Amino acid sequence: MKKHFNIIIAGAGGLAEAVGLLLMEWSEVTPSLFIGNRTLSKARKVARWIEEGSTKKAEIKAFLLPENDNTDEMQELFLKGDIILDCLPGSQAPKIAQFAKDFGMHYANLTEYVDETEKIMKLASDAKTGFVLQTGLAPGYIDLLAHGLFQQFCSDYRVNSVHTLEFKVGALTKHAAAPHY
């Protein structure tokens, strides 16, 4: 197993804060985190928040992630990055996925945007690294939670099937359909 990972988090909102802190606290191998945002002061604030909230000490650095240009610092970080976790609005996903492919990084995003996901699937079809799409709360985490709870239920009550298992989250997409929205 690799001893160290350089994880780039694109975006500096509340999701980036949560993901960064979880990565610091729950990773078996403490990573280096690089927080990129179009507003450097916001990226610095998130990096500081993660650093202050973590019980582990590691390299946590903010960098400028411009909307339209590439900076030398950004390119240098991308060259040594192992994975880019896209916490930006879904409309930015194809651009960030292209960076992952161009710089040989794995890519994970949290968006449920359908058109952008389809673009990334085409882009990633010949990639040499992994592209994990739609890993957010729904459909990502909620599916893992449901599976884990189902397995525990089966174990606790000695059953191997249930009639219905439904989970709902507090976010609605424009693709939500009745009756489950």
Side-chain angles (χ1 to χ4, degrees):
M1 182 174 177
K2 190 171 177 176
K3 300 281 186 212
H4 184 78
F5 293 93
N6 292 314
I7 300 174
I8 296 166
I9 299 176
L15 194 52
E17 286 180 339
V19 166
L21 189 58
L22 287 172
L23 285 168
M24 288 298 295
E25 293 300 299
W26 291 1
S27 295
E28 289 182 27
V29 178
T30 303
S32 291
L33 297 181
F34 302 96
I35 314 298
N37 196 65
R38 66 182 179 169
T39 307
L40 184 57
S41 62
K42 193 166 183 184
R44 286 181 177 144
K45 181 179 174 188
V46 169
R48 208 170 25 256
W49 186 87
I50 295 168
E51 190 171 34
E52 291 170 359
S54 178
T55 61
K56 299 177 182 177
K57 297 298 172 209
E59 179 180 16
I60 304 172
K61 182 179 179 183
F63 71 97
L64 183 63
L65 181 61
E67 288 185 65
N68 301 317
D69 298 326
N70 297 344
T71 67
D72 291 340
E73 178 187 30
M74 183 187 91
Q75 290 183 32
E76 183 179 314
L77 290 174
F78 284 6
L79 284 170
K80 68 179 187 176
D82 294 300
I83 183 169
I84 187 162
L85 179 56
D86 186 354
C87 295
L88 290 170
S91 62
Q92 298 297 307
K95 175 182 132 180
I96 303 301
Q98 185 68 57
F99 285 142
K101 183 176 180 182
D102 292 347
F103 288 91
M105 292 182 282
H106 298 291
Y107 173 80
N109 78 14
L110 306 168
T111 187
E112 45 56 87
Y113 283 38
V114 174
D115 291 340
E116 286 76 359
T117 298
E118 289 174 0
K119 288 177 186 174
I120 295 168
M121 288 171 63
K122 288 177 188 168
L123 178 143
S125 66
D126 63 345
K128 306 258 188 277
T129 55
F131 280 68
V132 183
L133 306 178
Q134 296 185 331
T135 62
L137 180 60
Y141 175 72
I142 197 74
D143 292 340
L144 297 173
L145 178 63
H147 179 72
L149 290 173
F150 173 73
Q151 294 300 318
Q152 187 64 49
F153 177 85
C154 290
S155 174
D156 290 349
Y157 297 99
R158 293 180 170 74
V159 297
N160 60 12
S161 67
V162 294
H163 176 53
T164 303
L165 178 64
E166 292 184 25
F167 277 64
K168 298 177 184 180
V169 297
L172 294 178
T173 72
K174 64 182 176 184
H175 306 289
H180 301 295
Y181 61 73

